[in-house]
Amino acid sequence: MARPASAKPAAARASPPPPASVLNPNPKSTATRRKDDYSSEGVEDNDVFLLPGTDYQLVVAITVLCAAVRLFRIYQPTSVVFDEVHFGGFASKYIKGRFFMDVHPPLAKLLITLFGWLAGFDGKFDFKDIGKDYLEPGVPYVAMRMFPAVCGILLAPTMFLTLKAAGCRTFTAAMGAGLIIFENGLLTQARLILLDSPLMITTAFTALAFTSFSNQHELGPSRAFGLSWWFWLVMTGLGLGTTVSIKWVGLFTIAWVGSLTLVQLWVLLGDYKTVTVRVFAKHFMARVFCLIVIPLTFYMAMFGIHFLCLANPGDGDGFMSSEFQSTLNSKGMQDVPADVLLGSQVSIRHVNTQGGYLHSHPLMYPTGSKQQQITLYPHKDDNNIWLLENQTQPLDINGQPINGTTAWNNLPETPYIKDGAVLRLYHSPTHRRLHSHDVRPPVTEAEWQNEVSAYGYEGFDGDANDFFRVEIVKKKSKGGVAQERLRTIDTKFRLVHVMTGCVLFSHKVKLPDWASEQQEVTCAKGGTLPNSLWYIESNEHPQLGADAEKVNYANPGFLGKFWELQKVMWKTNAGLVESHAWDSRPPSWPILRRGINFWGKDHRQIYLIGNPIVWWSATAAVVIYILFKGLAVLRWQRSCNDYSVTVFKRFDYEIGTSVLGWALHYFPFYLMQRQLFLHHYFPALYFGVIAFCQIYDFVTRRISAVGLREKPIVGRVGAVAFLALSVVAFTLLSPLAYGNTWTKAECNRVKLFGTWDWDCNTFLDSYDAYKTLPSTPAAAQTPTQSAAVQQPPPVQPPVAGGEQGQIPIVDAQQQQGQEVKAKVSDAALPSNKRLVHTEERVEFRDQDGNLLNEEQVKALEGKVEFKTRYETRTRVVDAQGNEILLPAGAQAPQEQEPAAAPPVAPPHPDVEGVDRETPKRPVADEEMPEPKQSVEGEKEREGQAAKPASEGNEATAKAEEAQKEL
């Protein structure tokens, strides 16, 4: 039964007045009458549109300062960096309209493309390798980097406004904005063609909008459904839509807003005085529309634009279903006859593994039966055509067999192929039939799988191992006649080998190079149903004329394409589980244990590392709140009644809101097995900085026991001092963010932990040494084997090479075991000298980069481990074996045209030809190449190389070339 509003529980009447809390600046406030509506105590109107003019001037100053920091030498480096490989490449595909598959939604990629297109980018540059030069092909990379940079610039004023909306003082908000400006990790991401800077600004905007809306909500019923209330609620919905349209990390932001919205609705539900059922329904529906309908509509609209831009086939369409592919230009097909007859020439497509075609070609297996190969091929080709034959030839009017492959063309009765029919599949281009026998496949040597081959010759009648029985899978086929006999597209069937009982089967395993890495086809005993399902796509027969019933792929429409792409993105994202040289796990992020090597060239390096002052203070704020909350819960259990104190309650709610944002953007990563990197922590870091600034504001302004509320100058000095400390840390680490020149000594001085694993030997000993470096050609790419020119000792002191942390080099074993070709550019030789050859010389150095002579190296053999982390230098030798000293700035001539350097960026683990399920085994003894000599330190060199994150699903070069040919 409801009690009167004036009544109080007996326990409450018996309780003594609560003591003044240390968090209460005004003990008299505990005696004030509690409000009768859902408005919150201690909340003022913090509408950011009503700030004093000085605050807006400060916002402008913060924006200008942030722009100066973010845009400083944004043209540097002039080559591809880290995941610019992926996201710049996606811009190229957008401009060409070629469909690709990526695990991230399209909004940020579309905007990057827009900036590049407006600057004149034509999409011809492929961004294929880290270190690939931008200048020589004239790529407007600065314009493309400008979009992330603008997002990074806006992040600082957004932080300022968010803290003001949360009720913080101006100098506290300015300190928070300063921490964002001088955060090295955010700076690094904002200067490159990456998605994290756009993600951060949309996350920050959502936090600003929802904080402003919450402020209006907590002011009570008088503000409900007002202009400001509606504005910030709609902006929150747009913020959620833009955030999740950049990366699915936006789902964590949705969880944060959703959790706090449920709290608000719960409070509204408890206000039975001012919130009637009708008013509550209005609140509920307003939030449903703004926080669900608007974000979902915006998200789907971005994919609508995505589909409009990518209208042509590309290297990503293999991830999609046949129905999806048929909507792309040149992928669609004409209507085909529905009925499949004996004598039909058909193409047979696999259902489960992106719909490759059953394929053969005049190449033999190197092992097993050594008969003609059967594969799954992703593109349309004449070698995909099969003639469907009966197990016996038809008879003429005299009872004699009608020989030849055209025997079924003029039969009086329509020879339908019904469920259970036994067929032979004749490969017209090579005159062989689909065949299986009790021989292990070339790659998957499981006992339950048999080899499938093409066997026979023209005029050969075949044998019993050519017989396959059609088994229609009714639950996968379209209803009606398609479940009784073979129908094009509509019937899904299995082909059961009559002699052995195995089923024609394919999976994601790729065959080696001798089969062009096409997909393996086997005959499996007990193979899974999805991998043994087939259907007929094309169908021709002389008896099926123009008036025959026709079928085609059903158009999935926008919703069908949208939903299918979401499922493929989710599956692919979850499949990124291979290790990466620079990945890290969530426990290491709050303490800034290690970073990411982005790029290295010309004795410079870009390494993503945060500002330790900012990171550790944000982590400390979270720890402080957790300790506070634990103590508050214990005191609450002991009936200390702290929550009757307004400041105590506001501290718990306001800081708790930010810490909840930190937790929801951090802890979900513990559930992920995929590749993770330090930059995944940035949204959580942002909420941690907000929490730190809020705690600072409470301590210096609202908690009376500290004694700083009456001394605002102390709070201002403390903020300035802390910000100055952050600026110092930022300055010390800034060469790693900007890719500036640096010295070994300065690098080692700031390297506080061994886990901060950038390589100080990358840098030279002094800044003067950089002046003597030869100019690098504009088109030079980051090679996998560095070959810097050997300079005369008086000109350049011995240094540790230009790209040791990035570029693998050869060691003594390589030099002795094989000749290494240096990648050098043309230069004129002295007139009296003749180039005989170039050779590599290895320099051994200690941990400090000091050069070791041969005696020192021999003395250390067997005592220490030699790691080849330093680049080799090229010596030019004449006919007498004398070294040719080239002029300063010249480079060694090219002995012969070098082979193209392999890409620094590894292919995506899910792309064609690099599938994780592909077993690694030799093909045959006679086919095996000479084993490579074991090179000491090879793995270490590979680990030091900068690689893009495996988040862009790009097809292999072979697949791209094949697509172009089509």
Side-chain angles (χ1 to χ4, degrees), residues 829-847:
L829 280 173
S831 58
N832 60 340
K833 299 292 182 180
R834 180 173 64 88
L835 173 67
V836 176
H837 69 282
T838 60
E839 63 182 31
E840 302 290 348
R841 180 171 63 87
V842 175
E843 294 180 353
F844 292 90
R845 298 176 181 272
D846 60 17
Q847 67 274 13

Side-chain angles (χ1 to χ4, degrees), residues 739-751:
N740 287 341
T741 57
W742 215 13
T743 66
K744 290 182 186 177
E746 292 177 346
C747 175
N748 285 311
R749 190 179 301 121
V750 301
K751 199 171 183 181

